[in-house]
Amino acid sequence: MTHESSRTSPPSDAGRTVDHPCTERPQTEDQLRTQDQPAQGQPFVHDARLVLWAPSFVASRADGDLAAAVDGFYHGDRRYLRSLRVSVDGVHLAATNAVTESADRAVFEAVLRQVGQSTADPAVTLRRERSVQPARFTELVEVVNHGSQQVTCTLRITAQADFAAMDAVKAGTALAAVEPACEGQRLTWTAGGDRLSLTASEPPADVRVDGPTDSLAVSLVADTEGTLLFELALAPGETWRRELTGLAESGTPTPFEPVAAADRPWDALELTCADSDFTRLLAQSEQDLARLLLADPQAPTDVFAAAGAPWFLTLFGRDSLWTARMLLPLGTELAAGTLRTLARRQGRATVAATEEQPGKILHEVRAEQQELGDGTRLPPRYFGTIDATPLWITLLHDAWRWGLPDSEVAELLPQLEAALNWLTEYGDPDGDGLLEYIDSTGTGLANQGWKDSGDSIRFRDGSQAKAPIALCEVQAYAYEAALAGATLLDAFHRPGAAGYRSWAARLQEAFRRAFWVADRHGRYPAIALDADKRPVDSVTSGMGHLLGTGLLDAEESRLVADRLLSPGLADGYGLRTYAAENGGYNPLGYHVGSIWPHDTAIAVHGLAKAGFPDHARRLAERLIAAGPAFEARLPELFAGTARSSSRRPAPYPASCRPQAWAAAAPVALLQALLGLQADVPAGRLTVHPAASRLLPLSVRGLRVAGVPLTVQIAADGTVQAQTSAAVEVLTSPPDRP
């Protein structure tokens, strides 16, 4: 039976209890995989509605149904429920509204066409209010008769489960559905050690109203679809409600634990400014980030941000580190939890199969091995990343500057020393003074920087570079990390600082000799060096990551700043990953023409830090303008089409939304536009805002040295910053463009 026929066929057994043999038939994952259908490609998710509370989420259509390839109720990298549909007597349900009320709650509304109508006005409505908690979702289903006639109808809720692993869903592999069992007002499914239940019950007393009675029948449709049938009789003005509860019980513990709402490690961020789009961006981002948090089971008070939903709802070294770094103006607690969680899993040995090395910070952690469909197989704990280790070092240093207590920094000094040693002993395997990577397993990631798709590192003519690859931004990360690490070693009276400063100086000279190329517009840094040490000369956003790290001198920084704002990179709604003039440019290419909010935010922050506030403002305003197209929930990436050709940016169809570093990007923009820099050990806090259409502006919820910070900027540029932290606050009016 097809899904569509199950939505429209009238129920033959409505109104009576159906007695079916419903014995459970447990199936293992291996048994399920033997029934796989051919992969159809990665599902599109741009039109999905996600509500989440990590490590769980529900993805659905805008009408509330779970009906598309990506849809479902997920918990811990596994989809439990793959289909959930509501129908009424085969009546057309006209979806009228879908609202994401918060990160973990959404409301879907529809009209029952031609039901109970005495005029052309709709009379009967359906409302579904869905919320998610870890391992659980609830859905309040409500039918209201607003008309003047008695209405009788049969409401049907059908469901299927498949217990698909995330890699199978992402590959577009259609798994066979699992047969359900009936238990009173409950449907249950079992596969191996995993179990799913879907229960219908009266709603809680605080949402109940006096209304009609109904009769409920629980039955099986075909062999793999369960149904809940309700015969309704509604007098004019009456409301009927039932609550569905889905509960996932995992046979395999998830690697990380959920975080309670009260344990969010920052205060509420309150922004008032002249741009309502930016205010909405920050508000939605804060909600999403709170629901992306996970805790380390080895130390449950240590929390970090999972990378994103649906594909990456787990610990990713690079993503979690960048997210924590962008959120430092909200406090250091998230940074501390992220640093410690990764430090507990820092490499301790050389293991070829996982690419682990002593001192290395890992790439990702999953409950199971990931089979990505192109021959790529990533073990549950995978270290294939070139940049997580220097980013860990820099986050430790920056958190210290924002006021992370010395005692907490001191506890991480052994891991700092191991990470610094990895930079010099393992990160540069050929000894040329630069960090490079190559997949040593043959089944890992071909590219191991943040642009990790297989075709992301290209020459200007569009041809692909061959590994080993030395990325431009990784050299900047390593340079900044070596100096930051040396500063910490000196501050905490540990040896070795001079050696790392000398190493950083040699890297800087090697970069200057090898990476700079030129075209008719002038000089710029290449994205990478290839296996033959040739500059990979495409114009890319990678150069934006160099600013503010200290790797470039003043003139080099000016060249990069001007190139970033060139039309080829920045005439869209942010910064393109790959300039439009490059061969092989594709505005929907994952890393060869799309726009990633976090990438743009890193460039904005670097521009501000390097002394180019007007450049930072102009680029920030482009990204802020993208917000309304995505209902203020910025996706992982979106199309790099020019603003002159489209009044709104187009989605990248398979993009995560929400994504942690995309959600953190507006906070990074705020920091850059405020010109906010902290150096608590030196007793200084600087506020040097960029002139902006945001003014007047007031922001609360910032923290420095563990205490609140408020900033107000009047329309004329007058700056007021208030904090009880033991720092001197240095303010200045905005530079005028």
Side-chain angles (χ1 to χ4, degrees):
M1 181 180 293
T2 66
H3 289 306
E4 187 58 31
S5 63
S6 72
R7 282 176 62 88
T8 58
S9 300
S12 60
D13 50 6
R16 60 186 176 87
T17 302
V18 182
D19 185 15
H20 284 283
C22 319
T23 56
E24 297 185 52
R25 298 183 184 178
Q27 299 182 44
T28 67
E29 181 70 12
D30 290 341
Q31 288 172 325
L32 290 173
R33 288 191 178 276
T34 63
Q35 303 173 64
D36 289 358
Q37 303 299 315
Q40 302 298 311
Q42 184 171 349
F44 288 171
V45 297
H46 65 284
D47 55 351
R49 294 279 174 162
L50 264 70
V51 287
L52 78 158
W53 192 322
S56 306
F57 67 92
V58 174
S60 75
R61 301 297 87 203
D63 63 2
D65 277 355
L66 282 57
V70 74
D71 291 351
F73 167 46
Y74 294 75
H75 175 67
D77 258 358
R78 185 168 296 279
R79 179 171 66 188
Y80 284 72
L81 190 67
R82 82 173 185 192
S83 174
L84 182 69
R85 298 169 182 256
V86 176
S87 60
V88 180
D89 282 339
V91 171
H92 174 57
L93 301 181
T96 57
N97 202 16
V99 180
T100 303
E101 297 282 356
S102 63
D104 55 23
R105 179 174 172 270
V107 174
F108 308 92
E109 296 174 320
V111 167
L112 277 63
R113 293 289 301 273
Q114 304 301 318
V115 175
Q117 292 183 212
S118 56
T119 69
D121 297 334
V124 182
T125 59
L126 170 71
R127 186 176 189 271
R128 301 166 67 173
E129 181 179 324
R130 177 179 298 147
S131 62
V132 173
Q133 293 179 310
R136 176 191 298 268
F137 80 91
T138 60
E139 186 153 329
L140 183 65
V141 181
E142 175 185 274
V143 180
V144 183
N145 182 3
H146 301 279
S148 59
Q149 302 177 8
Q150 175 85 9
V151 170
T152 60
C153 58
T154 301
L155 183 140
R156 176 198 310 218
I157 300 172
T158 55
Q160 283 188 322
D162 63 0
F163 297 95
M166 182 61 76
D167 56 354
V169 178
K170 194 169 188 287
T173 302
L175 299 186
V178 176
E179 183 176 337
C182 309
E183 299 176 357
Q185 299 185 17
R186 178 182 295 125
L187 294 166
T188 62
W189 296 260
T190 304
D194 296 318
R195 186 174 186 269
L196 169 68
S197 63
L198 183 66
T199 305
S201 61
E202 292 287 347
D206 60 343
V207 296
R208 291 185 62 184
V209 296
D210 293 334
T213 59
D214 62 63
S215 60
L216 166 65
V218 183
S219 68
L220 304 184
V221 179
D223 292 325
T224 60
E225 192 172 72
T227 184
L228 305 170
L229 302 175
F230 302 91
E231 292 282 3
L232 309 184
L234 285 81
E238 280 193 323
T239 298
W240 172 89
R241 287 186 174 98
R242 278 286 181 135
E243 186 172 80
L244 300 178
T245 302
L247 181 63
E249 300 175 60
S250 176
T252 303
T254 57
F256 303 102
E257 298 177 350
V259 175
D263 294 334
R264 180 186 65 178
W266 60 79
D267 296 333
L269 185 61
E270 300 176 10
L271 172 69
T272 303
C273 71
D275 189 333
S276 60
D277 289 340
F278 191 40
T279 302
R280 289 185 63 212
L281 268 181
L282 276 171
Q284 183 65 52
S285 293
E286 185 190 3
Q287 290 180 18
D288 288 339
L289 287 162
R291 290 296 174 262
L292 285 166
L293 295 176
L294 288 171
D296 186 349
Q298 298 181 39
T301 58
D302 283 343
V303 302
F304 63 90
W311 313 123
F312 310 122
L313 203 58
T314 187
L315 175 66
F316 273 74
R318 175 191 308 120
D319 299 57
S320 300
L321 287 162
W322 266 121
T323 300
R325 191 176 181 187
M326 290 179 178
L327 297 186
L328 279 171
L330 306 188
T332 61
E333 290 83 354
L334 180 65
T338 304
L339 288 163
R340 289 192 289 259
T341 297
L342 288 166
R344 293 185 189 99
R345 294 159 179 82
Q346 187 176 32
R348 290 173 174 79
T350 300
V351 182
T354 64
E355 302 202 52
E356 179 181 355
Q357 293 168 330
K360 193 176 187 181
I361 299 299
L362 54 74
H363 175 61
E364 67 178 292
V365 176
R366 302 273 191 173
E368 302 172 290
Q369 177 171 283
Q370 296 288 291
E371 302 279 351
L372 302 186
D374 59 355
T376 301
R377 296 190 302 276
L378 304 184
R381 186 172 295 190
Y382 179 58
F383 285 79
T385 170
I386 189 66
D387 52 10
T389 307
L391 290 171
W392 186 95
I393 296 169
T394 307
L395 177 60
L396 179 62
H397 170 267
D398 287 1
W400 174 64
R401 299 235 322 179
W402 274 92
L404 183 66
D406 283 358
S407 59
E408 297 186 41
V409 177
E411 291 174 354
L412 291 169
L413 291 177
Q415 290 84 1
L416 168 67
E417 291 168 331
L420 287 166
N421 185 67
W422 180 87
L423 289 183
T424 58
E425 297 298 322
Y426 295 92
D428 177 20
D430 63 7
D432 68 345
L434 300 167
L435 272 68
E436 53 266 322
Y437 62 81
I438 187 170
D439 170 35
S440 61
T441 67
T443 58
L445 295 174
N447 283 313
Q448 298 186 357
W450 85 261
K451 296 177 182 177
D452 58 2
S453 55
D455 66 346
S456 62
I457 311 303
R458 299 188 182 196
F459 288 89
R460 191 162 185 152
D461 64 5
S463 60
Q464 294 187 34
K466 294 182 179 180
I469 298 291
L471 293 172
C472 69
E473 70 267 23
V474 169
Q475 314 317 312
Y477 301 162
Y479 177 85
E480 186 177 26
L483 296 185
T487 298
L488 287 171
L489 293 176
D490 280 345
F492 287 84
H493 310 293
R494 308 281 277 228
Y500 291 116
R501 290 193 177 95
S502 296
W503 182 86
R506 293 192 297 272
L507 183 151
Q508 185 178 47
E509 287 306 311
F511 181 90
R512 189 163 284 135
R513 288 193 306 268
F515 274 82
W516 282 90
V517 295
D519 62 9
R520 63 188 178 89
H521 300 294
R523 298 171 62 233
Y524 64 94
I527 185 176
L529 304 182
D530 73 353
D532 298 321
K533 304 301 179 183
R534 295 181 301 162
V536 183
D537 61 348
S538 54
V539 177
T540 73
S541 65
M543 68 181 79
H545 294 230
L546 313 182
L547 292 169
T549 64
L551 183 67
L552 307 180
D553 64 24
E555 176 59 19
E556 291 167 342
S557 295
R558 184 190 65 79
L559 291 171
V560 168
D562 289 344
R563 183 64 68 120
L564 287 175
L565 271 293
S566 66
L569 282 174
D571 67 353
Y573 291 85
L575 186 65
R576 290 192 184 100
T577 48
Y578 190 76
E581 62 265 26
N582 292 323
Y585 162 74
N586 176 2
L588 283 170
Y590 197 60
H591 292 125
V592 290
S594 61
I595 292 169
W596 291 62
H598 89 281
D599 187 33
T600 298
I602 290 169
V604 169
H605 184 267
L607 286 164
K609 190 174 179 182
F612 300 93
D614 188 53
H615 289 67
R617 176 192 58 78
R618 289 158 57 197
L619 191 54
E621 288 174 353
R622 285 162 168 74
L623 184 57
I624 292 169
F630 303 106
E631 297 179 302
R633 177 180 266 182
L634 288 175
E636 177 188 10
L637 69 155
F638 53 88
T641 48
R643 289 189 296 172
S644 60
S645 64
S646 176
R647 296 182 63 181
R648 56 187 283 136
Y652 179 85
S655 177
C656 286
R657 192 165 71 101
Q659 180 87 348
W661 58 13
V667 180
L669 297 185
L670 178 64
Q671 181 184 357
L673 293 173
L674 292 177
L676 189 59
Q677 296 187 42
D679 190 350
V680 172
R684 290 192 302 272
L685 177 74
T686 302
V687 185
H688 183 63
S692 171
R693 289 179 294 182
L694 300 177
L695 305 183
L697 176 151
S698 175
V699 60
R700 300 178 183 274
L702 305 174
R703 296 184 75 82
V704 61
V707 299
L709 165 68
T710 62
V711 177
Q712 294 177 308
I713 308 173
D716 64 0
T718 303
V719 179
Q720 291 185 331
Q722 297 177 331
T723 181
S724 60
V727 294
E728 179 185 9
V729 181
L730 307 175
T731 65
S732 59
D735 293 325
R736 295 299 175 185

